[in-house]
Amino acid sequence: MFPDSQSRSAALFDRARAVQPGANTRHMITFAPYVIYAERGNGCRVTDVDGNVYIDWVNNFSTNIHGYGYPPIVEAIKAQAERMLCCILPTEAEIALSEIIVERWPGIDQVRFTNSGTEAVMVAVKAARAITGRSKIAKTEGGYHGQFDLVEASFLPTPANWGPEDRPAAPPLGHGTPQSLLDEAVIVPFNAVDATLARLEEEKDALAAVIIDPIPARLGFAPASQAYLTALRRFCTENGIVLIFDEVFCGRAGYHGAQGRLGVLPDLTALGKIIGGGLPIGAVGGTKEAMAIFDNLAGPLKMSHSGTFTGNPMSMVAGIAAMRGLTPEVFARLEAQGESLRRGLMERMAAFGLDMRANGLASMTSLQFFSEPADNYREFHNRSGDAYLDRMRRLHRDMLNEGLLMATRGLMVGSTAMTDADIDETLARAEIALQAFAQREAA
Ligand SMILES: Cc1ncc(COP(=O)(O)O)c(C=O)c1O
């Protein structure tokens, strides 16, 4: 049972405290009173250092779309490690992975690699500034785009600092964020067409880019509406502003990514996670016109982009193997399993009288403490209620004790390693966890 003060994980956590502040180097994955340490993974299951086995519904926040030990990825990595880990010369593998991305994402004609999703967003933002000669970046309220201070503005805002609904403020995430940086962030309300267009209109002469995650995990995978995306597309085109889609997470929405599914194309796309097959990666892709900013063969360079591990062959070959294993049929199966999971969870939530919902789309699911879908950040925040984090902590623990690993904020993403029997087993285990949770809630 978790927590267990005698467990090996608890001991490792204590040991980590001496050498890592907070006993972690990744805040988003920690939980109380200690975090569980992983030993190994196999298929869709993870074994921790105490021998407990969990069905992994986090898949390292989506990167492991084939689960653990997927043979084509393992073989590709082994073979590449024997050839070389990395080199100052490029390899054919980076062309091959670029070709796969270009073939799949309809808004991408050309690609540049990075080492993380954060870096991909950062490079896309810099490119937009270089293209337009303007400095401001508009983003949707509550949107997550990685770990740098400009795009962290208005990530997790609260009623105390979020400002007027139609004109959201840009509160910093971290202490010490320079005001001059926050002044460069224009926050618009997700899915509110008129308010967003009014705000963008005010700032249009200073705006380099509008960035949006079209199916944000933090909103429980509520997609941006067609009307919203179309309005952004039109506004950006009319005003020479670069439209950036952050598909670092939601790129797993289908064979043609989120943009293929939603039918609106950006100028630049930030990718990451699944395209690296479990190794560190990010990418910026875009139209030929937008990507020309990086073209050092076409004239004086306006936008420099490099990195010691950029295009490293290990990530490239793992990514190629991962993407080749993601055919349209495989995406269809992932989606069907996602739907079965959500349906099964909702039935059980209702059976136990829980005012909850399993929201989501394709292989992305989010457990929520309300039953009507929310389609913007404030709705999500207000309906989740003040006790959200405490309740989520209890639910997370109940799921953990039934052998289900989900993210601490109720996120569950599937992998191709899961069979229909694994979905059934997940639902049987979740039933016990949800019942325990409901009883505790009622107490
Ligand atoms: C939408 C989105 N953008 C950017 C990032 C940052 O990617 P990374 O963690 O690889 O830096 C993430 C990571 O979760 C994400 O979900």
Side-chain angles (χ1 to χ4, degrees):
M1 285 292 275
F2 178 85
D4 172 2
S5 60
Q6 300 307 306
S7 64
R8 200 144 178 260
S9 280
L12 286 175
F13 189 79
D14 274 350
R15 183 172 145 204
R17 283 186 90 140
V19 287
Q20 298 172 344
N24 74 84
T25 66
R26 198 177 171 191
H27 285 129
M28 273 196 193
I29 56 134
T30 61
F31 46 91
Y34 61 86
V35 79
I36 288 169
Y37 285 77
E39 176 82 44
R40 62 183 174 278
N42 181 18
C44 66
R45 279 155 220 262
V46 168
T47 306
D48 73 11
V49 289
D50 292 291
N52 302 306
V53 180
Y54 308 90
I55 301 180
D56 187 350
W57 278 100
V58 189
N59 286 301
N60 193 33
F61 280 126
S62 171
T63 65
N64 303 346
I65 195 164
H66 293 295
Y68 299 90
Y70 178 67
I73 294 180
V74 175
E75 293 312 317
I77 289 174
K78 276 189 189 162
Q80 184 60 44
E82 279 172 9
R83 281 195 295 275
M84 66 166 55
L85 294 177
C86 52
C87 175
I88 192 68
L89 302 175
T91 62
E92 186 174 345
E94 68 180 76
I95 305 173
L97 186 55
S98 302
E99 286 166 347
I100 291 173
I101 292 170
V102 166
E103 187 256 321
R104 296 188 180 203
W105 272 267
I108 298 184
D109 299 325
Q110 293 188 321
V111 178
R112 295 186 75 87
F113 289 105
T114 62
N115 297 294
S116 69
T118 296
E119 205 187 325
V121 171
M122 209 167 66
V123 171
V125 163
K126 279 175 67 177
R129 286 172 163 167
I131 290 166
T132 59
R134 304 174 190 154
S135 65
K136 289 196 178 182
I137 306 296
K139 60 160 287 202
T140 56
E141 183 166 47
Y144 180 65
H145 299 292
Q147 302 273 312
F148 70 103
D149 36 22
L150 171 66
V151 294
E152 282 177 334
S154 180
F155 172 53
L156 299 179
T158 64
N161 62 18
W162 66 24
E165 191 164 359
D166 58 347
R167 212 187 151 75
L173 183 68
H175 292 282
T177 305
Q179 185 58 46
S180 57
L181 204 68
L182 297 169
D183 291 342
E184 301 296 336
V186 174
I187 311 301
V188 292
F190 191 78
N191 267 341
V193 175
D194 292 346
T196 294
L197 290 181
R199 189 74 189 94
L200 294 179
E201 182 67 31
E202 283 173 40
E203 299 282 357
K204 67 182 181 193
D205 295 335
L207 274 177
V210 174
I211 182 166
I212 181 168
D213 174 347
I215 314 176
R218 286 288 169 146
L219 292 189
F221 304 113
S225 70
Q226 191 76 27
Y228 194 65
L229 291 178
T230 306
L232 291 183
R233 178 64 281 175
R234 191 176 311 121
F235 187 88
C236 287
T237 303
E238 285 170 4
N239 294 287
I241 296 163
V242 177
L243 180 60
I244 304 173
F245 277 8
D246 179 348
E247 294 201 27
V248 170
F249 202 119
C250 68
R252 64 154 56 217
Y255 186 81
H256 294 295
Q259 55 198 249
R261 187 174 180 122
L262 299 172
V264 178
L265 304 186
D267 302 299
L268 292 176
T269 304
L271 297 175
K273 300 198 189 265
I274 64 165
I275 63 160
L279 290 191
I281 201 165
V284 181
T287 60
K288 268 216 170 80
E289 296 73 31
M291 296 299 284
I293 198 72
F294 296 101
D295 191 348
N296 49 305
L297 300 178
L301 188 58
K302 286 198 195 142
M303 161 79 203
S304 162
H305 164 241
S306 274
T308 305
F309 292 106
T310 293
N312 82 80
M314 297 294 287
S315 297
M316 298 297 116
V317 297
I320 292 166
M323 297 306 283
R324 285 190 180 143
L326 291 170
T327 60
E329 296 71 32
V330 170
F331 273 109
R333 192 168 71 85
L334 277 171
E335 179 142 357
Q337 290 183 337
E339 280 165 7
S340 300
L341 175 75
R342 288 187 285 278
R343 199 168 40 245
L345 288 172
M346 298 270 270
E347 281 164 12
R348 286 157 179 83
M349 288 163 177
F352 297 127
L354 289 163
D355 183 24
M356 285 183 66
R357 136 171 222 97
N359 201 61
L361 124 186
S363 56
M364 305 176 284
T365 298
S366 157
L367 307 192
Q368 307 175 337
F369 293 127
F370 47 82
S371 45
E372 285 303 308
D375 75 348
N376 66 58
Y377 180 80
R378 292 190 191 201
E379 250 176 43
F380 186 95
H381 181 93
N382 290 335
R383 291 198 201 161
S384 294
D386 292 340
Y388 172 74
L389 287 177
D390 279 344
R391 296 174 79 197
M392 217 21 121
R393 216 169 281 135
R394 287 198 292 275
L395 179 61
H396 177 258
R397 187 175 293 188
D398 287 331
M399 297 285 262
L400 210 54
N401 279 324
E402 290 308 321
L404 297 175
L405 192 58
M406 67 169 199
T408 48
R409 286 181 184 242
L411 172 150
M412 300 174 82
V413 290
S415 76
T416 64
M418 290 171 176
T419 62
D420 291 349
D422 294 317
I423 306 298
D424 291 344
E425 185 180 338
T426 296
L427 289 173
R429 290 170 181 261
E431 182 165 324
I432 303 171
L434 286 168
Q435 189 170 25
F437 178 72
Q439 280 163 356
R440 228 188 309 280
E441 291 264 296

Short mmCIF file of all heavy atoms in Angstrom, two decimals, residues 26 28 61 63 115-121 143-147 213 215-217 246-250 270-273 281-282, ligand 1:
data_model
loop_
_atom_site.label_atom_id
_atom_site.label_comp_id
_atom_site.label_asym_id
_atom_site.label_seq_id
_atom_site.Cartn_x
_atom_site.Cartn_y
_atom_site.Cartn_z
N ARG A 26 12.21 17.30 -11.17
CA ARG A 26 11.11 17.44 -12.14
C ARG A 26 9.83 17.66 -11.34
O ARG A 26 9.14 16.70 -10.98
CB ARG A 26 11.05 16.12 -12.92
CG ARG A 26 10.31 16.16 -14.21
CD ARG A 26 10.40 14.82 -14.89
NE ARG A 26 9.52 14.73 -16.02
CZ ARG A 26 9.24 13.62 -16.67
NH1 ARG A 26 9.78 12.47 -16.29
NH2 ARG A 26 8.43 13.61 -17.69
N MET A 28 6.82 18.47 -11.89
CA MET A 28 5.50 18.01 -12.34
C MET A 28 5.19 16.56 -12.00
O MET A 28 4.05 16.13 -12.09
CB MET A 28 5.36 18.20 -13.84
CG MET A 28 4.87 19.57 -14.20
SD MET A 28 4.30 19.62 -15.88
CE MET A 28 4.16 21.37 -16.12
N PHE A 61 4.20 11.27 -19.70
CA PHE A 61 3.49 12.40 -20.30
C PHE A 61 3.45 12.29 -21.81
O PHE A 61 3.73 13.26 -22.52
CB PHE A 61 4.08 13.74 -19.86
CG PHE A 61 3.62 14.17 -18.49
CD1 PHE A 61 4.52 14.49 -17.50
CD2 PHE A 61 2.27 14.26 -18.19
CE1 PHE A 61 4.10 14.88 -16.23
CE2 PHE A 61 1.82 14.65 -16.93
CZ PHE A 61 2.74 14.96 -15.95
N THR A 63 5.25 10.49 -24.11
CA THR A 63 6.35 10.14 -25.02
C THR A 63 6.32 8.65 -25.43
O THR A 63 6.62 8.31 -26.56
CB THR A 63 7.74 10.41 -24.40
OG1 THR A 63 7.94 9.54 -23.27
CG2 THR A 63 7.89 11.85 -23.96
N ASN A 115 15.79 19.59 -28.76
CA ASN A 115 15.94 18.47 -27.81
C ASN A 115 14.77 18.32 -26.85
O ASN A 115 14.76 17.42 -26.03
CB ASN A 115 17.23 18.64 -27.02
CG ASN A 115 18.41 18.59 -27.94
OD1 ASN A 115 18.67 17.56 -28.53
ND2 ASN A 115 19.09 19.70 -28.10
N SER A 116 13.82 19.24 -26.91
CA SER A 116 12.66 19.15 -26.03
C SER A 116 11.54 19.98 -26.64
O SER A 116 11.78 20.79 -27.56
CB SER A 116 12.98 19.69 -24.64
OG SER A 116 13.17 21.10 -24.72
N GLY A 117 10.35 19.78 -26.10
CA GLY A 117 9.22 20.58 -26.55
C GLY A 117 9.39 22.04 -26.18
O GLY A 117 9.04 22.94 -26.94
N THR A 118 9.95 22.28 -24.99
CA THR A 118 10.19 23.66 -24.56
C THR A 118 11.06 24.39 -25.57
O THR A 118 10.78 25.51 -25.98
CB THR A 118 10.93 23.66 -23.19
OG1 THR A 118 10.07 23.08 -22.22
CG2 THR A 118 11.31 25.07 -22.77
N GLU A 119 12.13 23.69 -25.96
CA GLU A 119 13.07 24.32 -26.90
C GLU A 119 12.39 24.54 -28.26
O GLU A 119 12.66 25.54 -28.94
CB GLU A 119 14.28 23.38 -27.03
CG GLU A 119 15.55 24.06 -27.44
CD GLU A 119 16.64 23.02 -27.71
OE1 GLU A 119 16.68 21.98 -27.03
OE2 GLU A 119 17.44 23.26 -28.62
N ALA A 120 11.51 23.62 -28.64
CA ALA A 120 10.81 23.78 -29.93
C ALA A 120 9.94 25.04 -29.89
O ALA A 120 9.94 25.84 -30.83
CB ALA A 120 9.95 22.55 -30.20
N VAL A 121 9.22 25.24 -28.76
CA VAL A 121 8.38 26.43 -28.64
C VAL A 121 9.25 27.69 -28.65
O VAL A 121 8.95 28.68 -29.31
CB VAL A 121 7.52 26.36 -27.35
CG1 VAL A 121 6.82 27.68 -27.09
CG2 VAL A 121 6.51 25.22 -27.44
N GLY A 143 -2.69 28.33 -20.82
CA GLY A 143 -1.98 27.43 -21.74
C GLY A 143 -0.60 27.05 -21.24
O GLY A 143 0.10 27.90 -20.68
N TYR A 144 -0.22 25.79 -21.44
CA TYR A 144 1.13 25.35 -21.09
C TYR A 144 1.95 25.16 -22.35
O TYR A 144 1.53 24.44 -23.27
CB TYR A 144 1.09 24.03 -20.30
CG TYR A 144 2.47 23.56 -19.92
CD1 TYR A 144 3.25 24.30 -19.04
CD2 TYR A 144 3.02 22.39 -20.46
CE1 TYR A 144 4.54 23.90 -18.71
CE2 TYR A 144 4.29 21.98 -20.12
CZ TYR A 144 5.05 22.74 -19.25
OH TYR A 144 6.33 22.35 -18.92
N HIS A 145 3.11 25.78 -22.38
CA HIS A 145 3.96 25.65 -23.57
C HIS A 145 5.40 25.37 -23.20
O HIS A 145 6.30 25.66 -23.99
CB HIS A 145 3.88 26.93 -24.42
CG HIS A 145 2.50 27.23 -24.91
ND1 HIS A 145 1.85 26.44 -25.85
CD2 HIS A 145 1.62 28.21 -24.58
CE1 HIS A 145 0.64 26.94 -26.08
NE2 HIS A 145 0.47 28.00 -25.32
N GLY A 146 5.63 24.84 -21.99
CA GLY A 146 7.00 24.50 -21.63
C GLY A 146 7.55 25.43 -20.58
O GLY A 146 6.85 26.26 -19.99
N GLN A 147 8.87 25.28 -20.37
CA GLN A 147 9.53 25.81 -19.19
C GLN A 147 10.34 27.07 -19.44
O GLN A 147 11.50 27.12 -19.07
CB GLN A 147 10.46 24.73 -18.63
CG GLN A 147 9.77 23.44 -18.27
CD GLN A 147 9.24 23.48 -16.85
OE1 GLN A 147 9.95 23.86 -15.95
NE2 GLN A 147 7.99 23.10 -16.67
N ASP A 213 -2.13 25.76 -28.01
CA ASP A 213 -2.20 24.31 -28.00
C ASP A 213 -3.65 23.99 -28.33
O ASP A 213 -4.55 24.27 -27.54
CB ASP A 213 -1.84 23.80 -26.59
CG ASP A 213 -2.03 22.29 -26.45
OD1 ASP A 213 -2.65 21.69 -27.35
OD2 ASP A 213 -1.57 21.74 -25.44
N ILE A 215 -5.42 21.35 -28.39
CA ILE A 215 -6.14 20.37 -27.55
C ILE A 215 -5.40 20.29 -26.22
O ILE A 215 -4.68 19.33 -25.93
CB ILE A 215 -6.20 18.97 -28.22
CG1 ILE A 215 -6.60 19.06 -29.69
CG2 ILE A 215 -7.19 18.05 -27.47
CD1 ILE A 215 -6.58 17.74 -30.45
N PRO A 216 -5.55 21.31 -25.38
CA PRO A 216 -4.66 21.41 -24.21
C PRO A 216 -4.94 20.41 -23.11
O PRO A 216 -6.08 20.25 -22.66
CB PRO A 216 -4.91 22.84 -23.70
CG PRO A 216 -6.16 23.31 -24.32
CD PRO A 216 -6.48 22.44 -25.48
N ALA A 217 -3.90 19.76 -22.65
CA ALA A 217 -4.01 18.77 -21.57
C ALA A 217 -4.56 19.42 -20.31
O ALA A 217 -5.38 18.85 -19.60
CB ALA A 217 -2.64 18.16 -21.29
N ASP A 246 1.07 24.57 -30.85
CA ASP A 246 1.91 23.74 -29.98
C ASP A 246 1.27 22.36 -29.94
O ASP A 246 0.28 22.13 -29.25
CB ASP A 246 1.97 24.37 -28.59
CG ASP A 246 2.81 23.54 -27.61
OD1 ASP A 246 3.15 22.39 -27.96
OD2 ASP A 246 3.10 24.04 -26.52
N GLU A 247 1.86 21.45 -30.72
CA GLU A 247 1.35 20.07 -30.75
C GLU A 247 2.32 19.13 -30.04
O GLU A 247 2.38 17.94 -30.34
CB GLU A 247 1.12 19.61 -32.19
CG GLU A 247 0.03 20.36 -32.91
CD GLU A 247 -0.54 19.59 -34.10
OE1 GLU A 247 -0.48 18.35 -34.11
OE2 GLU A 247 -1.02 20.26 -35.03
N VAL A 248 3.08 19.68 -29.10
CA VAL A 248 4.05 18.85 -28.38
C VAL A 248 3.32 17.67 -27.74
O VAL A 248 3.79 16.53 -27.81
CB VAL A 248 4.82 19.69 -27.34
CG1 VAL A 248 5.66 18.80 -26.43
CG2 VAL A 248 5.70 20.71 -28.03
N PHE A 249 2.19 17.93 -27.14
CA PHE A 249 1.41 16.85 -26.52
C PHE A 249 0.36 16.31 -27.50
O PHE A 249 0.29 15.12 -27.78
CB PHE A 249 0.74 17.36 -25.25
CG PHE A 249 0.36 16.26 -24.29
CD1 PHE A 249 0.89 16.22 -23.00
CD2 PHE A 249 -0.50 15.25 -24.67
CE1 PHE A 249 0.56 15.20 -22.12
CE2 PHE A 249 -0.83 14.22 -23.80
CZ PHE A 249 -0.31 14.21 -22.53
N CYS A 250 -0.45 17.23 -28.03
CA CYS A 250 -1.62 16.77 -28.79
C CYS A 250 -1.28 16.30 -30.19
O CYS A 250 -2.18 15.90 -30.93
CB CYS A 250 -2.69 17.85 -28.81
SG CYS A 250 -2.24 19.30 -29.76
N ALA A 270 5.07 23.40 -33.19
CA ALA A 270 6.06 22.84 -32.27
C ALA A 270 5.66 21.40 -31.98
O ALA A 270 4.50 21.12 -31.65
CB ALA A 270 6.10 23.64 -30.98
N LEU A 271 6.62 20.48 -32.12
CA LEU A 271 6.37 19.06 -31.85
C LEU A 271 7.34 18.58 -30.78
O LEU A 271 8.34 19.24 -30.47
CB LEU A 271 6.58 18.24 -33.12
CG LEU A 271 5.66 18.52 -34.31
CD1 LEU A 271 6.10 17.69 -35.52
CD2 LEU A 271 4.21 18.19 -33.96
N GLY A 272 7.08 17.41 -30.24
CA GLY A 272 7.97 16.80 -29.27
C GLY A 272 7.43 15.43 -28.91
O GLY A 272 6.69 14.80 -29.67
N LYS A 273 7.80 14.95 -27.76
CA LYS A 273 7.27 13.71 -27.17
C LYS A 273 7.26 12.53 -28.14
O LYS A 273 8.29 11.92 -28.34
CB LYS A 273 5.89 14.00 -26.59
CG LYS A 273 5.98 15.09 -25.49
CD LYS A 273 4.77 15.09 -24.62
CE LYS A 273 4.73 16.27 -23.68
NZ LYS A 273 5.26 16.03 -22.36
N ILE A 281 13.51 14.85 -27.47
CA ILE A 281 13.37 15.44 -28.81
C ILE A 281 12.39 16.60 -28.79
O ILE A 281 11.58 16.74 -27.86
CB ILE A 281 12.87 14.38 -29.84
CG1 ILE A 281 13.21 14.81 -31.27
CG2 ILE A 281 11.35 14.15 -29.69
CD1 ILE A 281 13.11 13.72 -32.30
N GLY A 282 12.48 17.44 -29.78
CA GLY A 282 11.50 18.45 -30.09
C GLY A 282 11.71 18.78 -31.55
O GLY A 282 12.72 18.38 -32.15
C1 LIG B 1 1.73 21.49 -24.89
C2 LIG B 1 3.15 21.36 -24.42
N1 LIG B 1 4.07 22.22 -24.86
C3 LIG B 1 5.35 22.15 -24.49
C4 LIG B 1 5.76 21.18 -23.61
C5 LIG B 1 7.20 21.13 -23.17
O1 LIG B 1 7.82 19.99 -23.66
P1 LIG B 1 9.12 19.39 -22.91
O2 LIG B 1 8.66 18.91 -21.60
O3 LIG B 1 9.61 18.31 -23.84
O4 LIG B 1 10.08 20.51 -22.80
C6 LIG B 1 4.85 20.26 -23.10
C7 LIG B 1 5.25 19.22 -22.13
O5 LIG B 1 4.47 18.60 -21.47
C8 LIG B 1 3.49 20.35 -23.51
O6 LIG B 1 2.57 19.50 -23.05
#
